[in-house]
Amino acid sequence: MATVFGKAVKRREDPRLITGHGQYTDDVRLPGLLYAAILRSPHAHARIRKIDTSQALRHPGVVAVFTGQDIQGKMGTIPTAWLPPDSGIVTPPHHALAVDRVRYVGDGVAMVIAEDRYTARDALDLIQVEYEVLPAVVDQEAAMQEGAPQLHDEAPGNVAFHWKVGNFDPSAVQDADVVIRQRFRQQRLVPNPMEPRSAVADYNPATGEMTMWLTSQNPHIHRFLLSGILGIPEHKLRIIATDVGGGFGSKIPCYPDEALVGFAAKTLGRPVKWTEDRREHFMATTHGRDHYDDVELYGKKDGTILAIRVRATANMGAYLSTAAPGVPTILFGLIISGPYQIPYAEADVYGVFTNTTPTDAYRGAGRPEATYLLERMVDLFAREIGMDPVEVRRKNLVRAEQFPYNNPMGLTYDSGDYHGALHKALEMAGYAEFRRQQEEARRAGRLVGVGVTTYVEICGLGPSQVAGAVGFQGGLWESAQVRIHPTGKVTVFTGSSPHGQGEETTFAQIVADRLHIPVEDVEIVHGDTARISMGWGTYGSRSTPVGGSAIALATERVIEKAKKIAAHMLEVGEADVEFEEGQFRVKGAPSRQVSLGDVTLQAYLAWNLPPGVEPALEGQAFYDPSNFTYSFGTHICQVEVDRDTGEVKILRYIAVDDCGRVINPMIAEGQVHGGIVQGIGQALWEGAHYDEQGQLVTGTFMDYAMPRAHFFPTFETAFQETPSPHNPLGVKGIGETGTIASTPTVVNAVLDALSPYGVRDIEMPLTPERVWRAMKGAQEA
Amino acid sequence: MEATRMTVTVRVNGREYTRAVEPRLLLVHFLRDELGLTGTHIGCDTSQCGACTVLLNGEAVKSCTVLAVQADGAEVTTIEGLGDLSHLHPVQEGFWEKHGLQCGFCTPGVIMTAAGMLAQNPNPTEEEIREGLEGVICRCTGYQNIVRAVQYAAEKMKGAGAETEVAAAGADASAGGDA
Ligand code: FES
Ligand code: FES
């Protein structure tokens, strides 16, 4: 059988999804199902004086109304599960419904349970809440000022944590010819997976068992946390997340809303469903990014970069969401030197409470922020010393022979050929030719520009020991179970929880490849805590390097056992048997063989097993990686800016990514496409905006510009394959690379186009208005 | 007090359904909650994402913007009725062949939009396809493979004239239905 590893196998999840037979959480229907709706604070900061629910309770069809007072002491608070060490982090209590104070527009105030969706929504309007409005603060730097409104008694000055890392030393930069200083605004984004968050809870009071369907990227983490919040022991709590319509980080956290659904079902003894509206998503699902980054780069005239420092102020919103503190610290600070041989680096990070929606991981989580500031600084440095930005990158990129490479923050980059990817991308883009055309275009009065990003990403989170050392309150290994049934069909149970990444296909390819069986014979089971022993979920580009490696190991264990049985059947020693093309063959006498199918059947019949071998054929693995994996690559974009309107048009976009070995190039390419679009969304259109009073001005798709099909040309993508040396598959991770690389690539391209004006920076998103103002401002200056 | 209900009769995927509904009930909720046809999704509340797109009398419409009572007497095709696995509509086939979906949540709406687009313009250019997708949002795919999927379908439909009759493909009488 031809190998299926590396082939563009069509996706196995598609038949159900293209015919309307997927099952997303809101599709779940149960007898006696009730619907929940949540009343949210219209104020960014206010004391709750009084809540009157009597009218709502009298409304026909309303079954119950809960307020913060009603649930006090009956369910736990919402925890924070990443506590960066030595950061003085404080985690003020986050109640599922506000008890006496609301801290952002969208903070839950009451929950209505009714017989149908519309009635639940109607009843929200019948709840009377008396608020005493308090002064609000939405900007993190303003929140740190003296006299700013204070959110939590536990956090004076609104500082949630202060974390610092690095080896910067002023003496190390004494030789610097140039110091570049620049401030960047990393705007706030709304994740907006197309499937809204949703939960269905079904409680059996007689058995004490609770089943919850949840829009989750990590059902076992949700089980772990919800078990504590709801007081339901883990073995009685089942979380199911089969079809999940995208997450991009926003379905990692444990939210108040989902916990409340569980609480209501348990309290009322009837199943309850809640699904957020898009407007609720905008105000009550975690946001991403939102930093101010003050950066310094020290360099020499010959293009050598000596050091990079950043002081970041990260807006954490009103409460610390589940993984939030790890995002602007660990996932950001440790990688600010990027793919370059920069010997000294430092990140000094403040996490700040404000009266805004909590932030947390959003596609790339910390790594896009780091890559953005670094790539922008490299371009500014190149401009300052009059060197081509590609030359500066060439000069500083870690060279292939330097791997494994230790960066100044103590990370060890596993493998790479950074120059190779750069070279390939430059060839594809015709970079030298474009620079010539740029000259001509400029003479003709056109503003065209090119941007280049060379990046490295921490993927494959991660070694559990490191997770512990950096304050993540969990492990980051992964589980896999591979079961060959008596007929030779295979079921694989994985702790990864794909929600669009296509692992029902790629994971099946891993197993089919190793067992030499058709992909169709392998079924991947994920997203159900009752069927899968344990798992840490899908995020941080970890599913394939960690979850996939666990599957590869479990498959090897199955083959090892089968080999023992085969040797017994062939009456030779185990060492004399090899597994090839689906057959166990006697070495040197290949005609003496038994098929995997025959061995499997014997394993189950167990009529004649070798001594000490147990019946059945399955393997289990709990794989804890020894290191992260480091995907890398080069992205190049060519843009044209309209001189009169400031509009940016993307002419070409080239991506060369190296994510180690590629299991399915079609799926990997799809991940790159989606990532690029999401990153360009940040560069050009997207941005969540609050007014001074803390009202979210961009609260619907009408005000928050999502990337659409006609904004883009056809992307030109390619892969380079440098295997990771430390996992059994040689894979690295591809889910986030596009988002990490494309934002600075496009912004650098626009600023290159505007270089005749000498524009140094434009705050993202680079809307026509901002670009136009920058040109105009430069002309007037 | 019980809201006034109105009787509607809608032919969905070739099968007739009569229900007494609240006048304010959206067609998308009628399809999902009353008929159990959960293939049609809801991605927003401002008529912008297109996840809810169905064919109403052969034309692509956003079913979150239509009241169930407005569909009285109409013919609706949802993703469940467009084609099944043994007889996929060329657009569905294109999405599978060309990796036009990732999480699949936007997909039913995007497929219905594309089916409606191709019914009106069987030979779209890439630019026309991208413009035609203006009313849908996909957060996963970056659209490129959706464009390829639609191109694949257009190519396929050229060779197979009769198969383009999407409205007639409503063979799948799905769960929850009665006459
Ligand atoms: S749900 Fe109808 S357009 Fe979004
Ligand atoms: S495939 Fe996920 S939104 Fe389109």
Side-chain angles (χ1 to χ4, degrees), chain A residues 583-724:
Chain A
Q583 303 289 331
F584 291 95
R585 291 181 178 140
V586 178
K587 285 180 192 162
S591 60
R592 290 183 59 201
Q593 60 180 34
V594 282
S595 70
L596 175 63
D598 287 341
V599 174
T600 304
L601 189 60
Q602 286 310 317
Y604 280 92
L605 295 176
W607 292 340
N608 181 19
L609 293 177
V613 171
E614 293 173 357
L617 199 50
E618 58 179 83
Q620 190 162 31
F622 300 93
Y623 172 75
D624 199 352
S626 59
N627 189 3
F628 300 101
T629 54
Y630 293 87
S631 292
F632 61 91
T634 299
H635 285 210
I636 300 180
C637 180
Q638 299 170 1
V639 299
E640 174 153 9
V641 177
D642 188 312
R643 202 179 270 284
D644 300 321
T645 64
E647 192 168 5
V648 175
K649 188 175 157 104
I650 298 162
L651 303 175
R652 284 181 72 196
Y653 196 99
I654 293 98
V656 175
D657 295 284
D658 191 325
C659 58
R661 290 181 71 201
V662 174
I663 301 173
N664 184 324
M666 177 190 80
I667 289 176
E669 191 197 7
Q671 290 296 307
V672 172
H673 290 168
I676 291 172
V677 161
Q678 232 163 336
I680 299 179
Q682 171 169 22
L684 298 182
W685 307 291
E686 294 183 42
H689 187 71
Y690 286 92
D691 71 11
E692 296 269 294
Q693 284 75 45
Q695 291 296 331
L696 181 62
V697 183
T698 49
T700 72
F701 284 146
M702 286 189 289
D703 329 283
Y704 185 95
M706 293 282 282
R708 306 260 179 171
H710 61 293
F711 298 177
F712 302 97
T714 299
F715 306 134
E716 302 155 61
T717 59
F719 291 107
Q720 176 184 280
E721 297 194 30
T722 309
S724 173

Side-chain angles (χ1 to χ4, degrees), chain A residues 218-301:
Chain A
N218 28 249
H220 289 86
I221 294 182
H222 276 121
R223 182 181 65 173
F224 185 53
L225 297 176
L226 285 167
S227 163
I229 296 169
L230 298 173
I232 297 171
E234 248 181 314
H235 66 303
K236 301 264 187 189
L237 179 58
R238 177 182 185 186
I239 308 288
I240 303 174
T242 40
D243 284 327
V244 176
F248 312 111
S250 73
K251 291 172 183 170
I252 297 171
C254 184
Y255 289 92
D257 313 314
E258 286 87 328
L260 285 165
V261 173
F263 171 80
K266 190 179 163 199
T267 307
L268 301 172
R270 280 179 68 181
V272 177
K273 180 194 282 188
W274 167 81
T275 301
E276 69 180 358
D277 293 339
R278 184 57 58 184
R279 44 185 279 290
E280 282 185 286
H281 181 87
F282 272 99
M283 62 175 132
T285 293
T286 51
H287 294 171
R289 317 278 193 260
D290 202 344
H291 287 200
Y292 290 101
D293 294 315
D294 288 295
V295 195
E296 280 177 4
L297 180 146
Y298 296 81
K300 293 173 75 88
K301 280 206 187 91

Side-chain angles (χ1 to χ4, degrees), chain A residues 10-11 18 24 26-27 29 60 117-118 122 190-191 278-279 670 674 686 702 707-709 714-715, chain B residues 1 24 26 29 32-33 43 45 48 92 96-97 99 102-105 126 130 134 139-141 143-144:
Chain A
K10 280 201 295 178
R11 293 209 325 170
I18 56 174
Y24 299 89
D26 190 64
D27 301 343
R29 302 210 301 170
R117 278 180 217 270
Y118 286 22
D122 289 345
V190 181
R278 184 57 58 184
R279 44 185 279 290
E686 294 183 42
M702 286 189 289
R708 306 260 179 171
T714 299
F715 306 134
Chain B
M1 92 220 107
R24 62 174 175 169
L26 298 175
H29 285 135
R32 289 180 56 80
D33 295 344
D45 38 22
Q48 254 132 356
Q92 290 170 309
W96 194 7
E97 289 291 332
H99 189 27
Q102 290 181 22
C103 79
F105 193 81
E126 169 166 355
R130 288 186 182 266
E134 194 185 14
R139 191 56 146 171
C140 297
T141 62
Y143 303 104
Q144 187 152 320

Side-chain angles (χ1 to χ4, degrees), chain A residues 162-210:
Chain A
H162 176 206
W163 178 87
K164 198 168 170 175
V165 67
N167 63 350
F168 181 79
D169 171 0
S171 66
V173 293
Q174 269 168 2
D175 296 348
D177 301 320
V178 202
V179 187
I180 313 281
R181 292 196 173 83
Q182 184 65 39
R183 176 179 176 80
F184 299 110
R185 177 79 173 117
Q186 183 65 235
Q187 85 270 36
R188 180 180 277 248
L189 302 173
V190 181
N192 276 322
M194 291 320 296
E195 181 202 27
R197 271 192 300 131
S198 182
V200 177
D202 188 18
Y203 184 71
N204 183 329
T207 62
E209 282 170 340
M210 170 83 91

